[in-house]
Amino acid sequence: QQQVKQSPQSLIVQKGGISIINCAYENTAFDYFPWYQQFPGKGPALLIAIRPDVSEKKEGRFTISFNKSAKQFSLHIMDSQPGDSATYFCAARIKAAGNKLTFGGGTRVLVKP
Amino acid sequence: NAGVTQTPKFQVLKTGQSMTLQCAQDMNHEYMSWYRQDPGMGLRLIHYSVGAGITDQGEVPNGYNVSRSTTEDFPLRLLSAAPSQTSVYFCASSSLTGYTFGSGTRLTVV
């Protein structure tokens, strides 16, 4: 049973375009929602994160939108660049349950020049 | 600043062999965990630890064993390797404010 569902599985966007990745969760005990970026042969690296009492967080070209009532959150990559080509994972954490992360299935993003 | 160090980076095992994947962190984090990454399935939690001497099972623990004798080290043992354990394994170290992942071990079981 996948507690965090991520879509789409893959995404192709032109340079300068907007990449949008969506995630949905069921467990209302999740208290922290990070996004990770992973390049081939590397471990995931934290990109941006949000807590459920905030509806939006922006860091540079990356924005998380969070809808608590719908139990959904999304990552928007503005002005996408070829260097953004990577796999992106959403995740959710329950601090009280050992600080464990539950990951979505991942989205492979390709930015065409 | 090493962060999380995993060894080896690559390993090929024969079915039935045992081995230990090593993980060490130098950030004095209480929490450590092991994930496996398979195509289309994201990262799935194998085992985790909330401190030295304390470990617990994650989502996919079967066939794996862990121990946490020190804050720094969290080895993952494969007791009798099976082809289904072919995967990329990531160790992570975390505080309540963030996670740091190692660079991974690519394991192939033939």
Side-chain angles (χ1 to χ4, degrees), chain B:
Chain B
N1 55 342
V4 178
T5 302
Q6 284 185 242
T7 55
K9 292 191 181 300
F10 301 94
Q11 184 70 49
V12 179
L13 286 179
K14 293 183 178 179
T15 297
Q17 286 185 319
S18 62
M19 79 160 294
T20 299
L21 280 61
Q22 301 291 343
C23 176
Q25 56 102 354
D26 61 1
M27 297 170 285
N28 202 32
H29 285 164
E30 290 294 321
Y31 303 97
M32 296 187 75
S33 47
W34 277 100
Y35 292 83
R36 60 177 289 174
Q37 183 175 23
D38 302 292
M41 303 188 74
L43 286 86
R44 292 181 293 166
L45 181 65
I46 304 171
H47 285 285
Y48 67 101
S49 170
V50 300
I54 306 169
T55 64
D56 205 347
Q57 296 180 351
E59 183 184 354
V60 287
N62 292 339
Y64 308 95
N65 207 354
V66 293
S67 60
R68 183 100 179 268
S69 57
T70 67
T71 298
E72 294 77 20
D73 299 299
F74 191 44
L76 178 72
R77 297 182 186 86
L78 280 72
L79 307 174
S80 178
S84 61
Q85 294 179 304
T86 293
S87 188
V88 181
Y89 292 84
F90 289 99
C91 177
S93 169
S94 66
S95 64
L96 292 178
T97 56
Y99 266 66
T100 301
F101 285 84
S103 57
T105 296
R106 184 172 293 273
L107 176 68
T108 301
V109 182
V110 299

Side-chain angles (χ1 to χ4, degrees), chain A residues 36 38 89 93 99-101, chain B residues 35 37 94-96 99:
Chain A
Y36 287 85
Q38 185 181 32
F89 293 95
R93 179 202 74 177
N99 205 35
K100 296 182 292 184
L101 282 178
Chain B
Y35 292 83
Q37 183 175 23
S94 66
S95 64
L96 292 178
Y99 266 66

Side-chain angles (χ1 to χ4, degrees), chain A residues 65-104:
Chain A
S65 296
F66 189 85
N67 186 328
K68 188 173 182 178
S69 61
K71 292 187 283 187
Q72 295 176 346
F73 58 111
S74 60
L75 176 69
H76 295 231
I77 306 174
M78 313 300 287
D79 187 26
S80 296
Q81 300 296 313
D84 296 332
S85 297
T87 300
Y88 294 82
F89 293 95
C90 63
R93 179 202 74 177
I94 303 174
K95 181 173 70 174
N99 205 35
K100 296 182 292 184
L101 282 178
T102 300
F103 284 86

Side-chain angles (χ1 to χ4, degrees), chain A:
Chain A
Q1 180 187 3
Q2 194 172 20
Q3 292 194 49
V4 180
K5 295 184 178 180
Q6 183 172 345
S7 62
Q9 287 189 329
S10 63
L11 178 58
I12 299 174
V13 62
Q14 294 293 326
K15 179 182 176 182
I18 302 173
S19 304
I20 301 174
I21 306 170
N22 300 299
C23 284
Y25 64 96
E26 289 297 324
N27 193 340
T28 55
F30 288 134
D31 57 15
Y32 174 72
F33 299 86
W35 284 89
Y36 287 85
Q37 180 187 56
Q38 185 181 32
F39 294 105
K42 304 292 186 182
L46 179 66
L47 188 63
I48 187 172
I50 198 167
R51 299 192 186 278
D53 54 346
V54 176
S55 61
E56 185 175 281
K57 183 174 181 180
K58 184 176 181 179
E59 290 184 0
R61 296 184 293 107
F62 301 92
T63 300
I64 300 178
S65 296
F66 189 85
N67 186 328
K68 188 173 182 178
S69 61
K71 292 187 283 187
Q72 295 176 346
F73 58 111
S74 60
L75 176 69
H76 295 231
I77 306 174
M78 313 300 287
D79 187 26
S80 296
Q81 300 296 313
D84 296 332
S85 297
T87 300
Y88 294 82
F89 293 95
C90 63
R93 179 202 74 177
I94 303 174
K95 181 173 70 174
N99 205 35
K100 296 182 292 184
L101 282 178
T102 300
F103 284 86
T107 298
R108 183 172 291 184
V109 174
L110 176 63
V111 182
K112 289 194 168 183

